[in-house]
Amino acid sequence: MVFKRRKQRLTTKGWEVPVATARFTDVRFADDVLLYARSLEDAKSMLAVLLEEFQAVGLQLNASKTKILTTAAVESPPGTCKVEWVSGRCIHVLSHADSHKYLGRALNLSKERATAAVKARIAAAWHQFQKRRGIFMCQHVHANLRIKLFNSTVLPVMLYSLSSLTLKPMHHSMLRGARTKMLGSMAGWRRAEGESWPETMHRMRARVAGLQSSVASPCVSETIFSLKWGLARRLFGSTQNQKWAPLLLQLPSAHTRSRGRPPLQWLDDIDKFCAAAGEASLEDALKKPELKQKYVDYCINGLH
């Protein structure tokens, strides 16, 4: 009811953001709301309207958890944060280079937002690894059990939400490198007396490979591409015209992209695979389960 009345007020003032053939204002998940506006003043006005509707039904806004993210540079004295006052509440304004954690993901509006998100997931994975370091490093616990614990506690944290990002080969390399370092710690780092560094590294790689082969451990990149295919299937279902997600993905083509937009789009690799596989349309390809593994193999080969 609150958002229905708010939607009517925003429509009359023309504050929606045009997306494809529809008008877009917000996304909601549980008690979290993400507003979209074309300018800082529009965002403040939209937030003020939302506060009025909240107060009408006895709800309050947590100003300390509310942030305004902008694609523009924010000027503020060193060591300070820019703020805006909205209906008597102090709201922090974050620039395009700043990150904010939302639903477990680091939101960033800069060109390097994918890199920032990957770094945040790697840091979260290391945090989980350190919490269980005593078990992972214990040589008295069988390697199979340690790998199973790693795959069920650390790896999911590292890969969380990454299937929804437009990742480059460098990002996959960062993830594989972090996973290899963790497995190297689990294998145990010991250098024999009089051993050269190339010999040590060769022996350590063999130990890490043996640790991975002890239990079926999923490849980081394969898991991401597999999850991405599944996400694409959910987004482009039979009722796609009634969903917002497909409309949001209908961005301008490569030759018309505005300055500052990432050079890659989320669907680029899926579109290329469908063209290489001779599929007439994306929707038809996603309905064929047998193409999932072929898509994963296609993307993995493209990383090398």
Side-chain angles (χ1 to χ4, degrees):
M1 183 66 72
V2 170
F3 285 96
K4 184 177 181 179
R5 292 198 304 264
R6 172 186 164 275
K7 180 74 173 181
Q8 294 173 348
R9 294 178 62 179
L10 296 184
T11 303
T12 58
K13 296 181 180 294
W15 284 336
E16 310 103 314
V17 176
V19 176
T21 59
R23 313 290 289 184
F24 189 70
T25 56
D26 61 81
V27 292
R28 302 186 294 274
F29 180 81
D31 60 345
D32 289 310
V33 183
L34 190 62
L35 304 179
Y36 288 82
R38 288 173 289 185
S39 67
L40 178 59
E41 292 303 319
D42 281 0
K44 292 168 58 178
S45 300
M46 292 169 68
L47 186 56
V49 170
L50 183 61
L51 288 173
E52 293 176 8
E53 297 298 338
F54 276 171
Q55 292 174 355
V57 294
L59 298 177
Q60 297 292 329
L61 177 76
N62 190 336
S64 63
K65 295 183 178 180
T66 303
K67 310 292 181 184
I68 297 178
L69 278 74
T70 175
T71 55
V74 176
E75 296 183 359
S76 60
T80 64
C81 179
K82 182 178 180 179
V83 298
E84 292 285 347
W85 290 90
V86 180
S87 300
R89 292 170 174 81
C90 180
I91 308 298
H92 287 176
V93 180
L94 305 179
S95 71
H96 66 288
D98 297 321
S99 296
H100 177 64
K101 189 175 182 180
Y102 179 72
L103 299 180
R105 173 175 164 180
L107 287 184
N108 183 288
L109 300 181
S110 69
K111 294 181 180 180
E112 302 300 326
R113 49 184 170 272
T115 302
V118 169
K119 289 182 178 179
R121 297 322 310 164
I122 292 176
W126 273 113
H127 177 70
Q128 293 297 321
F129 184 87
Q130 295 297 340
K131 286 173 60 176
R132 301 166 179 84
R133 187 179 183 86
I135 300 176
F136 290 140
M137 303 286 289
C138 182
Q139 300 300 317
H140 299 291
V141 179
H142 199 281
N144 291 4
L145 297 178
R146 288 185 285 147
I147 286 293
K148 288 181 179 179
L149 180 63
F150 178 85
N151 291 342
S152 61
T153 59
V154 178
L155 205 56
V157 173
M158 180 184 293
L159 303 182
Y160 173 76
S161 78
L162 294 185
S163 60
S164 63
L165 294 175
T166 305
L167 301 181
K168 300 178 182 179
M170 61 171 287
H171 299 135
H172 288 272
S173 179
M174 292 168 59
L175 293 167
R176 290 195 302 269
R179 178 174 176 270
T180 300
K181 289 181 180 179
M182 295 177 186
L183 293 178
S185 298
M186 294 171 61
W189 179 270
R190 295 184 182 88
R191 190 180 183 192
E193 185 178 355
E195 187 179 47
S196 65
W197 275 111
E199 293 173 340
T200 302
M201 295 304 299
H202 178 75
R203 183 168 53 82
M204 286 304 303
R205 292 191 188 98
R207 295 189 64 175
V208 171
L211 189 63
Q212 295 184 61
S213 62
S214 61
V215 174
S217 184
C219 171
V220 169
S221 298
E222 288 183 2
T223 303
I224 292 176
F225 289 128
S226 178
L227 292 174
K228 183 174 180 177
W229 182 268
L231 179 58
R233 288 194 62 185
R234 293 193 295 272
L235 293 179
F236 293 88
S238 58
T239 58
Q240 65 170 16
N241 292 331
Q242 303 175 11
K243 296 182 179 180
W244 275 107
L247 292 177
L248 293 175
L249 292 175
Q250 293 177 11
L251 300 176
S253 58
H255 64 279
T256 61
R257 293 177 189 171
S258 59
R259 182 176 300 176
R261 191 175 298 281
L264 296 176
Q265 293 183 359
W266 189 75
L267 278 175
D268 282 353
D269 55 355
I270 299 181
D271 288 336
K272 292 180 181 178
F273 166 75
C274 291
E279 294 296 327
S281 67
L282 172 65
E283 291 78 6
D284 292 339
L286 292 172
K287 293 177 182 178
K288 300 178 180 179
E290 65 273 13
L291 291 181
K292 179 178 180 179
Q293 188 57 46
K294 293 182 179 179
Y295 162 73
V296 173
D297 296 339
Y298 174 85
C299 293
I300 292 297
N301 292 333
L303 294 177
H304 300 297

